[in-house]
Amino acid sequence: MSGGRVVLGLGAGWYEREHRAYGIEFPPVGTRFDRLAEQLEIITGLWATPDGERYTFRGDHYELADAPALPKPVQRPGPPVIIGGRGPKRTPELAARFAAEYNVPFTSVANTARQYELVLDACARLGRAAPPTFSAGLLVYCGRSPAEIAHRARTRHQKSALPPEDALVGSPAQVVDRIGEFAAIGAEVLYLRLDLHDLDHVTLIASEVLPQL
């Protein structure tokens, strides 16, 4: 038995079109963060409630009265919480309060380092001794030759709803070097985004990049 392998990633929402498509309200960013803070408080509070006891919460957006806090998760007190984003104020504070892992998605080493420092500062203010694990999301275009790299990177500059990215582009050795830049600023976990339909790309990463990390 693994003892549970679930992780919970929770965010304030950022892509209005996606919300509208599914009929989900998309209030101003301040309201979304206020709700997220209460959601995190509630979820972690329910998990931490001892067996047989009840949980009460009264906030501006949510209210629970004598909730039985059931069912309990296999992982105790609960699954690790991942918080990600590039916000300079509320995001670092929420990560310092609730996150087991803080993720910075798809941006430069310098921007990622800046976000990590903001979380460290928030941990110091809140009295958290050990910061969350730092992670990063990275887009990868890896190839054995310039032609293969160019072929995989051909869609790199297509219009996208995602924010601008600092992709890892190059040979396996070059990708390893770029990953090393993120490791040097404190990233312990990396999420590599690539086309999973390109099985040769997956194999290349697994055989010639991962063994060097």
Side-chain angles (χ1 to χ4, degrees), residues 95-154:
R97 288 179 60 194
F98 298 105
E101 178 181 326
Y102 171 61
N103 179 265
V104 181
F106 311 120
T107 189
S108 67
V109 173
N111 289 341
T112 303
R114 188 176 307 115
Q115 289 297 130
Y116 291 169
E117 287 298 326
L118 291 172
V119 172
L120 290 173
D121 290 344
C123 287
R125 290 196 307 273
L126 297 173
R128 177 170 175 171
T133 297
F134 289 145
S135 65
L138 303 171
L139 185 62
V140 183
Y141 302 108
C142 185
R144 301 175 183 85
S145 67
E148 192 173 81
I149 295 166
H151 176 72
R152 291 207 167 104
R154 68 192 184 282

Side-chain angles (χ1 to χ4, degrees), residues 13-213:
W14 63 277
Y15 189 26
E16 183 174 4
R17 181 177 175 183
E18 185 176 60
H19 281 243
R20 301 302 181 202
Y22 291 96
I24 301 171
E25 185 183 2
F26 192 75
V29 64
T31 301
R32 299 202 307 273
F33 268 96
D34 290 342
R35 289 181 177 179
L36 175 61
E38 290 190 15
Q39 291 162 2
L40 288 163
E41 189 79 49
I42 290 168
I43 290 170
T44 56
L46 288 168
W47 288 342
T49 300
D51 293 350
E53 296 188 14
R54 294 178 176 267
Y55 176 76
T56 294
F57 176 87
R58 291 182 175 85
D60 293 329
H61 300 279
Y62 306 99
E63 185 170 319
L64 282 72
D66 294 327
L70 295 172
K72 292 297 187 187
V74 171
Q75 293 147 285
R76 294 297 184 98
V81 173
I82 300 177
I83 293 176
R86 306 184 195 175
K89 297 179 181 179
R90 301 289 296 277
T91 300
E93 178 187 347
L94 291 175
R97 288 179 60 194
F98 298 105
E101 178 181 326
Y102 171 61
N103 179 265
V104 181
F106 311 120
T107 189
S108 67
V109 173
N111 289 341
T112 303
R114 188 176 307 115
Q115 289 297 130
Y116 291 169
E117 287 298 326
L118 291 172
V119 172
L120 290 173
D121 290 344
C123 287
R125 290 196 307 273
L126 297 173
R128 177 170 175 171
T133 297
F134 289 145
S135 65
L138 303 171
L139 185 62
V140 183
Y141 302 108
C142 185
R144 301 175 183 85
S145 67
E148 192 173 81
I149 295 166
H151 176 72
R152 291 207 167 104
R154 68 192 184 282
T155 61
R156 181 182 177 188
H157 298 295
Q158 289 181 355
K159 186 177 180 181
S160 171
L162 293 171
E165 301 158 335
D166 185 24
L168 309 185
V169 183
S171 67
Q174 290 172 317
V175 169
V176 169
D177 287 343
R178 290 296 318 282
I179 288 174
E181 295 176 12
F182 284 87
I185 62 168
E188 298 180 58
V189 178
L190 298 178
Y191 299 96
L192 305 183
R193 183 159 66 90
L194 60 156
D195 181 3
L196 295 180
H197 294 94
D198 185 351
L199 296 182
D200 184 61
H201 197 193
V202 176
T203 300
L204 178 63
I205 296 293
S207 63
E208 298 191 31
V209 174
L210 293 184
Q212 300 185 62
L213 301 180

